[in-house]
Amino acid sequence: QRRVHGDLALESKRAERMLSLFRFAQRAVSHAPLPRALPSRIPAPVPISFPSSSAVDVINQAISRFAGPLRYFSYRPKQEPIKQWKIFRGDKVQVLSGKDAGKQGFVLKVFRKKNAVRVQGVNMVKKAIRATDQTEGGWKRKFMPVHVSTVALIDPEKKVPSRIAWRFLKSGTRVRISKKSGALIRKPKRRPLPLQVKTGLKDTAPDKVLERTYLAPEIIPKIQQRMAMRK
């Protein structure tokens, strides 16, 4: 529905623009003085002398002079998160469209809310870094995310991009299968989370974690009674 409404709005804008150009050509044919300001949809006219020709020629000249490429709306529909993802971090993919079409790389990060992935060596941009007292200014290269629909997993046997299907092994494990060769594409292993080995100033020592440091007065007699019964 959003696409249909966008197309209708674009067609109405195009028709409105052509109508304004037709009116402008009519004024030029009748040798009426040009208006000082035209609507903001078309640029301000430059005074020109139209030759003595038919109205059709004048209209064609006006259209060719002032009708530039239409500007499309900067409307981006809200991305609905994909429920079933087939690409994960660590997969090797290939870009299908865009300026980096044909490049291959590993997925560095997955943005599930935006339906985008960050691929190594793809969609690289330069970011200006402002100089501070601690760091120097300059340019930094960064890989920006691309939409997940513009990348595809690589077939491990044919080394070409392929579509993916979910299948089940005899053990009941759900795996990914390449549709081109039927090869199994295993899910990449997750990297282990970094563990903090050193004990900080505000951390409790390992030998004192299980130490009981408080006993309520009303619980002490009950504990002593239970220990006496065990003995």
Side-chain angles (χ1 to χ4, degrees):
Q1 292 179 355
R2 291 176 180 174
R3 290 182 179 177
V4 171
H5 290 311
D7 294 340
L8 292 177
L10 185 61
E11 291 296 333
S12 62
K13 289 287 184 181
R14 184 182 288 109
E16 188 177 355
R17 187 171 184 180
M18 295 299 295
L19 181 60
S20 62
L21 290 173
F22 180 75
R23 290 175 180 173
F24 172 74
Q26 280 184 337
R27 294 193 191 99
V29 171
S30 60
H31 301 285
L34 293 174
R36 294 185 178 180
L38 286 176
S40 59
R41 297 184 183 86
I42 58 177
V46 179
I48 56 176
S49 59
F50 286 95
S52 58
S53 58
S54 62
V56 177
D57 296 337
V58 175
I59 292 174
N60 292 334
Q61 291 180 14
I63 291 175
S64 62
R65 184 173 182 85
F66 296 105
L70 293 174
R71 294 182 299 174
Y72 290 88
F73 299 101
S74 60
Y75 170 73
R76 294 183 180 179
K78 185 178 179 181
Q79 292 288 332
E80 297 182 0
I82 299 175
K83 296 181 180 179
Q84 186 176 3
W85 276 75
K86 298 181 180 180
I87 298 178
F88 304 97
R89 183 180 61 188
D91 285 330
K92 190 175 183 181
V93 297
Q94 180 173 333
V95 183
L96 302 178
S97 61
K99 63 179 182 179
D100 297 322
K103 288 187 178 180
Q104 297 182 0
F106 291 94
V107 178
L108 301 177
K109 191 174 181 180
V110 176
F111 302 89
R112 294 184 180 270
K113 291 184 178 180
K114 298 181 179 180
N115 295 340
V117 292
R118 181 179 293 166
V119 185
Q120 183 180 8
V122 174
N123 198 15
M124 184 176 62
V125 297
K126 287 185 179 181
K127 293 283 186 178
I129 301 176
R130 186 174 297 179
T132 59
D133 298 338
Q134 300 177 356
T135 60
E136 297 181 357
W139 294 91
K140 180 182 179 181
R141 295 184 176 182
K142 186 178 180 181
F143 301 121
M144 299 300 291
V146 295
H147 200 269
V148 68
S149 62
T150 60
V151 297
L153 284 171
I154 297 178
D155 191 299
E157 293 184 359
K158 297 186 178 182
K159 307 298 181 183
V160 293
S162 172
R163 292 193 172 190
I164 302 301
W166 289 101
R167 296 292 184 267
F168 290 91
L169 300 178
K170 293 182 179 180
S171 59
T173 307
R174 193 163 175 254
V175 295
R176 298 176 296 177
I177 300 295
S178 173
K179 286 190 175 182
K180 284 196 174 182
S181 64
L184 176 65
I185 304 178
R186 296 188 179 277
K187 190 176 178 180
K189 295 181 179 179
R190 298 185 63 180
R191 58 185 179 186
L193 297 175
L195 299 178
Q196 186 179 0
V197 180
K198 296 183 180 179
T199 304
L201 297 176
K202 296 184 179 181
D203 295 333
T204 306
D207 54 343
K208 295 184 179 180
V209 171
L210 300 178
E211 182 180 354
R212 193 164 186 175
T213 58
Y214 174 77
L215 289 175
E218 61 273 8
I219 298 179
I220 296 178
K222 296 181 181 179
I223 295 177
Q224 293 177 351
Q225 184 179 1
R226 289 180 181 177
M227 293 180 66
M229 291 176 62
R230 290 178 181 178
K231 292 181 180 180

